[in-house]
Amino acid sequence: MEEQEKKQHRAKHSGPKAERKRRRRLGALGAGQEEEDARKRNPKAFAVQSAVRMARTFRRTQDLKTKKHHIPVVDRTPLEPPPVVVVVVGPPKVGKSTLVRCLIRNFTRQKLVEIRGPVTIVSGKKRRLTIIECGCDINTMIDLAKVADLVLMLIDASFGFEMETFEFLNICQVHGFPKIMGVLTHLDTFKNNKQLKKTKKKLKHRFWTEVYPGAKLFYLSGMVHGEYQKQEIHNLGRFISVMKFRPLTWQTSHPYVLADRMEDLTNPEDVRINPKCDRKISLYGYLRGAHLKTKSQIHVPGVGDFTVGDVSFLPDPCALPEQQKKRSLNEKEKLVYAPLSGVGGIVYDKDAVYIDLGGSHAHENEEEEVRPNHELVQSLISSHSTIDAKMASSKVSLFMDSRPLDSEDVEGQEFVMPKEEREIDLKTGRVRRKAVFEEEKENDDAVSDEEDDQEEEMSEDGSDGDDEDDAEEESDRELLGEEVAVGSAKRLKKEVTKEEAVNELPAFADSDDDLEMSSEGEGKTTPEENEMEEEDDDEQGSYENESSDSDSEAARRGVAKSEQDEISREHKEMKSETSCHSLKKKAVLTTDSGNCTAEEASESEVENSSMDEGDDEEGSHEESEFEVLDRKGFQRTQEKKIGSVKQTELEAVEDEEEDDVENLLKEEEEYEETIDFSADTAGALKWKEDLTQKAAQVFLRQQSTPNLRKLVYGAVAEDEDRESENEADELGGLFHVSRPDKESKQKANALDCSKFLIEKPQDWDLEEVMSSIRDCFVTGKWEEDKDAAKLLEEDEELYGDFEDLETGVVHKGKSAAEGDESGSEQEEKEGKKSKPEAEEEEKKKERMDKKRKLKEMFDAEYDEGDATYFDDLKEEMHKQAQLNRAEFEDQDDETRVQYEGFRPGMYVRIEIENVPCEFVLNFDPHYPIILGGLGNSEGNVGYVQLRLKKHRWYKKILKTRDPLILSLGWRRFQTIPMFYIEDHNGRHRLLKYTPQHMHCGATFWGPITPQGTGFLAVQSVSGTTPDFRIAATGVVLDLDKSITIVKKLKLTGFPFKIFKNTSFIKGMFNSQLEVAKFEGAAIRTVSGIRGQIKKALRAPAGAFRATFEDKLLMSDIVFVRTWYPVSIPAFYNPVTSLLKPAGEKDSWRGMKTTGQLRQERGIKLKQNKDSLYKPIVREKRHFNKLHIPKALQKALPFKNKPKNLEKKGKTPRDQWRPAVIREPHERKISALLSALSTVNNYKIKKAKVKHRQQLKEYLKVKQKEEEQKLKRQKEAKKKIYRMLGQREKKRQKSSLKGSSEGEKNM
Amino acid sequence: MSGRSQCLSYAGCNFLRQRLVLSTLSGRPLKIRKIRAKEEDPGLRDFEASFIRLIDKVTNGSRIEINQTGTTLYYQPGLLYGGSLEHDCSPSRSIGYYLESLLCLAPFMKHPLKIVLRGVTNDQVDPSVDVLKATALPLLKKFGIDGESLEIKINRRGMPPKGGGEILFACPVKKVLQPIQFTDPGKIKRIRGTAYSVRVSPQMANRMVESARSILNKFLPDIYIYTDHMKGVNSGKSPGFGLCLVAETINGTILSAELASNPQGQGAAVLPEELGQNCAKLLLEEVYRGGCVDSTNQSLALLLMTLGQQDVSKVLLGPLSPYTIEFLRHLRSFFQIMFKIEMKSPEEEHKGGEKVLMTCVGVGFSNLSKTIR
């Protein structure tokens, strides 16, 4: 990359920004008086007006603050997170594909023609996106909602919301709510601007109610040449690449992979023989969510459950740019990776591979340099068979005419060889046992440990027991390889490792170094040994030459090691790293290093038939060594230990030839003597008794890291392949690998006890032994940073300088320099480093420490006063997150994967076996393939209890025992739920249908999923309906293996004999035994009389005596109410929609409901006659006559007495009047008379009417006259009264006059 | 269902308890073959049968199949149920044998476990109830399994061979465990203990205390050993005495040691003085081994670390016992969890032997049995 000349930044000198900056600067200087805070300028305005009001506002702000709090969770996002999954959803024809294409173009400047499956792109310095389009098939929607981080929800503004949108929102809500961003398209169809505005607003508010108020809604105004406007897409891209995501519970607790590549690994021959055979496939993709462990369970929605076969991580095909300094991405860093759509170089066809040479810079050569891993990826991608397969098929012939070795053999060799070869040094006559390691077995550890022991004892200085058998074992393995390769009959050699107790060896201590060390350090090793080691050296050298492609700068050892690592791990695709076997030398004063576990030892005990011989021989051998080395100044304890070590060795040596037994027979006795001497309490053969424990114990004191790890887990970076173990029985047709049975490693049938017995306690009376734990007690010496005295001193240092103002005495603390000096002195005493720079460093460190301490004190005083519980919790989580990140950071991926599992963000390849062939045959990249990891026992099945509510938009109610398709966890499956409601007493009563607007419970038989997981139910995943498809939603409440649902069952009976309150009831039960079961049960009659079952009767079977609160009638029906447990059909049917042929993937049909079946086949339901409705016929009621007794009648008053209106009896016949029969003449007369009378009547009638009329008229006239008469009279009266009045007036007048006259007169 | 988790297969009766416990917790079925197949009396022993019965009691829906000779056991785990239970343990092993496994399972039940175990409370083979009470319960508390109902109560003491003891173990239910970082054992601040004696002279306990103190006083003045002499019906059916010692550090680490007298009629009689001294020495040995968890509870600590959230847990242990080593292997096969094992030699001289730092990432286990409301 060429360095670009960058323009220097020029600060603005004018404009608002510069102005603002200047003002700020002035303010900082204290010059900007006028800019002062209003609060200061006008304090009265901000004074407290009302305490109550203030309290209220305070409370409110606090409420708002706490509302914002979420429960803090540990942030488990990895440092290099996987690409963000962006799902583009929407109804058909809304512009999803166009949007995806535009986004890809926006980020990568590449135009993808056809997009199939997920597309991963680098969108920024720290962000990658995996964009995937979601079809309208509800299966796809469900699957993608579970893995989405961000949902782009496309809405056709010209049409409005469609059902798909709401369905998807609902699915999201159930499975954890990812970020959702709405995108309005087709806005150019609006011609009217006002209409457009209105629609936008309406849609926005509806969207807000669904998602959350203020959710982002994006507007794509229109298309230009079939694409969205560039600026708008750019803005959308900006939004996406700065978005933050909240972790979703399900996603963070489960690993998952959105596969972007699939390969069929089945043997073609198998397919040829049986085209329908189960397949073995590998799926590729970024691991997301949690850590994935090998051999864990996964579920592939739409296919089924599988066990992960083999997982390996690959170099990132779409890596983030490495340099972070630049502002924006280089064109070449804008990667796009979509193998399913043929981007990333290759398109797979059935029988060929096409390499795509598209892209803007496809022909540039720099690409290789920019992306160093590109080549590797390409090669990985372009290989037909995986490296595993290649490795498996490749063979190496070691000898001219030997059977070629294949990888399995090699693997077997390196992991399985439990062999121990024995060499006899001809010159010294020493027996050296070569441990040929098979990493799986701890056996070998034991052996190698033994070797260590031997070496130690051989070495003249009684230095430590170093446990570098790791290195040794490697070297040994390597040596073996060399030997075989050279084909010479050279004996295997072994180097004596020898270090100073204090020496820190570099990481890969191997033979070479040891040689150097030993030769230059002390000339104590025998010349023979030296020679041998040199030979070793040469061999290795030649070996190295052969392997020239290794890193040149690595040390020779390192090279050799890496080589051997390659050999050992060629089945891995990655080169093995060189640091995984880093060894730690340690300096231990004690001499014992009998590293052997109880199991191993015991195993050998069990197996070794000629144990005693071996013991003796070995013991004598040891003894001889002892003598040669002339170690005398050993303490008793040490000797004891050595003794036990020897015993260990005796035990562990198994396959030794007994060639030198005879030579050493003499020394046997001596050996035993020493043993006796050392073991104070033991009898003659007591030392043999608990050899295993002793050995284990001694070993355990001395275990070292890689050793211990190997002891526990077998090989370090090797996954336990039991298959390979079984296969590798013969090596190259030459060596027969004799391996003890795996089970016999530990005593299979030993006592199961967790106690860690101490068989050889140290002698705690001795002062040295006692002092070894002296500091474990509070009475012992304390560490510097915790010692009270020391702390006091330091405090003095910090606060020492002060002047007592009252007395004027100046107290001087110890100066810092002094402290430093003393520190350095101490250092020197410790005798570690005396170099000046080290001193400097130490000083610096001390200063830093002091500073930190001061800062902590300050913080404690001022900051942590108002730390709330919430803050503490957050802090704790933060610390944990940091620890999680830091713990395995320094380890390489290969090792790390073993501890943590595959961490999210890795690009992994997962092999799965036994996949139905339809998955491969009907593979359609448009449908997402998700590998969802399952937790512990989530692969099991049981009864799951749910809280369920029918969706309010779903039109029908759901029926118990109708199959329903649930989406729960990763899975989609059909099952038969039973609905129930919980009674007040906790009883789960079966319901026939879901309630309309209420939650109810449901139980089904299916996969166990953690409580609190949301689910949704649909009745069918096939076809399209205009209606809302989601039938119900809810949450898992409980998991169980038994059912708690009951339904009501009433047993009825009839009384057959009734006493006062006691009755005998029959017909309820069939036998005495049944009755006995129900004794004491409450019964009731239909009329409401309560009672109790007492005891069975003998006579009619099943009859019983019962008591009631009242006397029954014979017509009463008695019943007892019981609860009958309902059985739930064990029906669990995963929706295998991905197995359907292409084009029919959305047409999966499961079990049909009885209603559907009936309708299809035209089966009429046979109805119970009793439950049919009939016309109501009401009989006329008939009442009897009231009967009053005679006595009462007599007593009654007459008024109330029934009147004896007896019917007249029949008139006797003789009293009947004779019928009159008229003569014809008489008849005529009567007829005439009647006619005349009729006429007469008529006349009378007429006359009457006429008379009435006349009368009326007369009355009228009369009335008139009357009125007139009255009128006249009135007038007359008026006249008279007036006259009378006038006269009166006159009289008065006159009288008045008269009086006045009279006065005048007077 | 194609994806049933595959069955794990083992041979031999050793580590039966941890296999069954891990199988129950991980939900993976288990098959154990060749149980004492080549011995004179093949098959499961009475105490193992009793243990399997106990597992059956605390679970719901588990399937246990044993062949006719008792040499093969198939176990398909159900869900842990809990509740109030009673169990008569076989007197051939002490209650500790059963209690150790219950301690692993109890926090993950559906209902809080409250179980009465009857049998031998203290013997020479298994960790006694006293020790588990003193060490395992504080350990559980470290993982957040806390509450007033967490207790072990010794109602009656029973010594081998006849037993007759009775204890009550109650444990609350937890949904998730919290990770621990427990790498600094701290310094021992006090030593406590219990000297018990049943159906022997009450003076025995005092004699043990005296002798144990004589050794421990060289290290620490703060020693208090309770004497517990049970009488009458509380004293079980066999005579015996013993001592268990517990050392507690300033950081809450608890180390323990114990010794019990030989069962009646087996072996030579033990002097209480000798027993007290030996027990004190065992405690010193345990201190020498050191670590933050004492040697009997190593596997419990590692299990709870494994079952934690997906966070890093660390604990410093003394040398790993063979039982723990096998337990680690089993953890790997049941939970695919591998521990990072680092040797730590104490930086200072007088702090005992080598330590092992165990680090792991939890599996993110959650209690599937617990009901939510």
Side-chain angles (χ1 to χ4, degrees), chain A residues 297 442 703 711-713 748-749 752 754 771-772 775-776 778-779 781 883-884 887 940 1011 1038-1040, chain B residues 2-3 13-14 27 60 93 100 110 181 187-188 219 311-312 314 329 336 339 343 350 352 368 370:
Chain A
Q297 293 272 101
E442 296 93 353
Q703 341 163 303
L711 168 77
V712 175
Y713 292 123
N749 287 325
D752 180 14
S754 68
S771 74
S772 70
D775 284 351
C776 294
V778 280
T779 48
K781 210 180 97 196
L883 181 73
N884 290 352
E887 183 56 37
N940 295 351
Q1011 310 91 331
D1038 198 5
L1039 308 161
D1040 213 336
Chain B
S2 64
C13 68
N14 204 358
N60 178 20
R93 294 299 286 267
E100 270 185 304
K110 188 185 279 297
Q181 269 75 48
K187 290 185 188 297
I188 293 167
F219 294 94
D311 291 320
V312 169
K314 288 174 157 202
R329 291 183 194 137
Q336 281 87 41
F339 277 76
M343 284 311 281
H350 305 297
L368 285 178
K370 196 170 180 243

Side-chain angles (χ1 to χ4, degrees), chain A residues 1119-1183:
Chain A
F1119 66 88
V1120 58
R1121 200 172 63 157
T1122 60
W1123 296 96
Y1124 182 73
V1126 182
S1127 71
I1128 295 175
F1131 173 70
Y1132 163 71
N1133 185 18
V1135 176
T1136 51
S1137 57
L1138 283 184
L1139 303 185
K1140 299 287 271 186
E1144 298 173 29
K1145 294 216 194 261
D1146 56 349
S1147 63
W1148 187 88
R1149 287 209 71 165
M1151 188 197 217
K1152 290 170 188 162
T1153 63
T1154 37
Q1156 281 171 336
L1157 277 176
R1158 235 180 249 137
Q1159 203 197 3
E1160 270 175 22
R1161 309 203 175 163
I1163 301 167
K1164 281 263 161 24
L1165 182 66
K1166 205 193 236 176
Q1167 278 173 320
N1168 188 0
K1169 236 170 126 189
D1170 286 345
S1171 51
L1172 289 176
Y1173 285 101
K1174 287 168 276 191
I1176 301 165
V1177 185
R1178 295 224 158 83
E1179 268 177 44
K1180 185 92 172 106
R1181 287 204 77 124
H1182 173 78
F1183 296 102

